[in-house]
Amino acid sequence: MYRDTPHAIHLKDYRPPEFLIDAVDLRFDLDPERTTVEAKLALRRNPAATRGDGDLRLHGEQLDLERIAVNGHPLTPSEYEVHQEGLTLHRVPDQFGLETRVRIHPSLNTALEGLYQSGEMLCTQCEAEGFRRITYFLDRPDVMATYSTTLVADKRRFPVLLSNGNPVESRDLDGGRHLMRWEDPFPKPSYLFALIAGDLKAVEDSFSTASGREVALKIYVEPHNLDKCDHAMRSLKKAMRWDEERFGREYDLDIFMIVAVSHFNMGAMENKGLNVFNDKFVLARPDTATDVDFDGIESVIAHEYFHNWTGNRITCRDWFQLSLKEGFTVYRDQEFSADVGSRGVKRIGDVRLLRAHQLPEDEGPLAHPVRPDSYIEINNFYTATVYQKGAEVVRMQANLLGPELFRKATDLYFERHDGQAVTTDDFVRCMEDASGRDLEQFRLWYQQAGTPELSVQEAFDADSGRYSLSVRQHTPPTPGQPLKEPFHIPIAVGLLGQDGEDLPLQLEGDTTPSAPGTRVLELTNSEQSFTFVGLEAKPVPSLLRGFPAPVKLKTEASDDDLLFLMAHDSDGFNRWDAAQTLMQRLLLALVDDAEAELPERFFAAFEQALMDAQSDKALLAEVLTPPSEGYLGDQMAVVDVDGIHRAHSVLGRRVGERLRDALLEVYRANDGSEPYAFMPDDVGRRALKNLALGYLAKAGDAEALAAAQAQFEAARNMTDVMAALRLLVDHGGEAGTRALDHFYGRWSGEPLVVDKWLSVQATSPREDTLERVIALMGHADFSLRNPNRVRSLIGAFCNANQVRFHASDGRGYRFLADRVLELNPLNPQIAARLLKAMVRWRRFDAGRQALMRAEIARILDAEALSADVYEVASKALGD
Ligand code: ZN
């Protein structure tokens, strides 16, 4: 907590560490109330660093120092200084051993950084700067050491004691205590350290690597959750095989462990050999978890596993390079999910996510480059830009190089930088060196914030058969970056003939003939023209196929062209995108005038898509899902909260009424009760039938509501149960209340299912939702100390219920600000993240602007604001 204004840290100030730590020997005497940590560090001066004043400055926060010695000699108080953020030792030798003993207090640690208590277990979270809450250290990622960790604890209370690496010793001690020692042979930065102590049980399996080594796999959970680990284990083995095949990466230790923890600030953490997970991303049974949950588990398990090479073996030089590991690892987990599931549906989901979170971030007051150049609190930079846009930037390089050269480049990266702490620039250099391409301009994607806007003008000359696309790019200013250089933008295009078939893409000046399909144009100037030759008639362009770059296209396509693309484009992504643009136009027309007629050909296209028995059902469900209320708001000059909500209801109702028969038929044809399987076809079938049921329910169709009630009662899988519950709750009345009570009665013993019960209420558009949310905060199952509960209730209300959170009376804003202030001293990371729901206040009308600004100002005025909340609030107000 700060009294003075927290200060920013700048990339340009990076200096190599003056000291290095080669080896760490830790001994923990574990107790939730008071844990003792003894550390022995082998330190030496860094030959690569310029010499400073000779002092050694170690990070350390909230540590009670009990003993400190250099080379075995205890120091006198005059030989060191302890301050708020660490410890300074004057005039130390060039090479020496440092011993410290500190006391820490896990049970009081509500920030969930460092060593903390979750239920009956003890666990750690060290990324980004949590290790300094465990012991005095050079807590920065470019200091890599080998670790030996001894854990001592009461054997009955904590029978399982885990840390990174391999177990090397285990024995009983006096007084009912026992000891375990772990050694991690791979040098790592401190943020990858982890320990776990608890009464846990493991599901065990094994994996034989490509080179024939056996790896023991263990997933540790509380005993009653042992029946919810199968999917996680299957996902892990798939991910391990895939990384060998696709990237040539083999696992390197003899044991790989995952632990599920119920108090966790983020999704999961890639600690070396000991991944620690939010239990939400481990535990699943068909009756407790939805398809979305199964999907999330598969990708997060893969993501953390993939970090073993992209993050752990090769790590970040400093936290400005966070996207080096996160962007690349997200790209890898996206590709994994595409390969083991459905590539087209995966891409649509990823772009939906990018548009919902990253584009708004990139045009708001918290906009920052993929490689930021300053931060106040690094925890605020685990963002959609660093993760999702970072993945797009890797994807563009992969596509520019093509599969063979990209593989050559990643091989080079792994070989050249294994064991090092490096930068995004080092990554790009590997791409250049392996391919011979010059990516100098491309590097701007890491340096410039903001989303380029593309506008395209077409011209066709019937006499010469020439068709040209003139493309302009413009990137609006972002905080601290008023002027932007043009980006290097790959633009994948196709041209459709009148029959809907792809035409050959012969560019003027091509020496060889070109095949029909997709061609990548490279835009490097602010304005550039591309001319195709040999066309008999004006084609319909299919631009940005597969979403080749994180840009916004200002499309001028006519509704007819969009309908044509939706029906014929050989690129599934663009069929979806055309449908989205069309629906967006209809919805915005309804915002202007709720009585506006919807064109007949829209219903015809919708019905035709629905009745196409051949089509991929998951893809179809995506095509027929309208853009969200939040996304529509992003497309307006001023967000019309109520108009958008009304338009959404009107569109849903009219589709439900007009296409009643087709929707009912689709619902019935896809409603089955065969045993649950998490297979792409089944997932698609459930998505489609629940979408159909949703449209019918919006129309208030009695048969549909009866079907929802029946589905709620009969379904054995959580996907169908939740879909039905949502419809019943949103429809309101007795049936909704009864369903909620019944659901809670059935699942009150499963916290992750109770989260769904909270969310479905928090996201309901019913008028009394805020009252409900406030009442639920008093429920016995709710706790501000558990981030999953906070996200499920408060986060869901503020981020996934635009019409109620942004109610014009400002009560939603006051509610959020109150929660931020309550969470600020408890868990600053979560408090700051919640506050982000209000940072785009300038996008709303004057009344709402004033209300939000006042709440943010009230937060800024509060005493003892954390650096986390201070940074978000002050940047939100723009000072
Ligand atoms: Zn990650």
Side-chain angles (χ1 to χ4, degrees), residues 268 270 303-304 307 325-326 329-330 387:
E270 68 264 25
H303 178 98
E304 305 310 331
H307 267 315
K325 73 178 178 81
E326 296 304 347
T329 304
V330 170
Y387 277 65

Side-chain angles (χ1 to χ4, degrees), residues 207-229:
F207 180 84
S208 38
T209 69
S211 70
R213 283 184 313 103
E214 281 300 305
V215 179
L217 308 179
K218 302 187 184 199
I219 300 181
Y220 285 93
V221 294
E222 291 173 290
H224 64 273
N225 284 324
L226 274 173
D227 61 348
K228 303 188 195 75
C229 299

Side-chain angles (χ1 to χ4, degrees), residues 67-75 97-100:
R67 185 188 122 88
I68 179 165
V70 167
N71 289 332
H73 303 296
L75 299 184
L98 178 73
E99 293 166 38
T100 60

Side-chain angles (χ1 to χ4, degrees), residues 10-71:
H10 297 270
L11 170 58
K12 64 174 163 39
D13 295 336
Y14 173 82
R15 301 284 176 278
E18 276 183 53
F19 291 85
L20 299 175
I21 302 174
D22 294 315
V24 183
D25 187 339
L26 297 170
R27 183 188 164 102
F28 289 82
D29 215 314
L30 290 162
D31 183 293
E33 267 39 82
R34 80 212 265 289
T35 286
T36 308
V37 186
E38 292 176 284
K40 292 184 187 153
L41 314 181
L43 283 137
R44 70 184 154 97
R45 232 169 250 289
N46 181 3
T50 45
R51 206 184 161 100
D53 58 11
D55 288 354
L56 169 65
R57 289 179 191 77
L58 296 174
H59 300 110
E61 288 173 12
Q62 299 167 37
L63 307 173
D64 297 334
L65 182 63
E66 293 186 335
R67 185 188 122 88
I68 179 165
V70 167
N71 289 332

Side-chain angles (χ1 to χ4, degrees), residues 181-238:
R181 194 159 65 85
W182 294 79
E183 271 177 8
D184 182 359
F186 293 96
K188 64 168 177 284
S190 51
Y191 81 86
L192 291 172
F193 171 81
L195 79 78
I196 294 282
D199 186 0
L200 303 172
K201 291 275 179 287
V203 169
E204 309 197 9
D205 207 323
S206 74
F207 180 84
S208 38
T209 69
S211 70
R213 283 184 313 103
E214 281 300 305
V215 179
L217 308 179
K218 302 187 184 199
I219 300 181
Y220 285 93
V221 294
E222 291 173 290
H224 64 273
N225 284 324
L226 274 173
D227 61 348
K228 303 188 195 75
C229 299
D230 294 356
H231 178 63
M233 186 62 90
R234 256 198 313 276
S235 302
L236 173 60
K237 289 189 288 183
K238 273 201 243 179

Side-chain angles (χ1 to χ4, degrees), residues 76 144 213 290 446 494 502 566 687 729 772 776:
T76 63
M144 297 171 84
R213 283 184 313 103
T290 63
Y446 288 97
D502 277 333
M566 186 180 153
V729 169
R772 285 241 164 192
L776 285 166

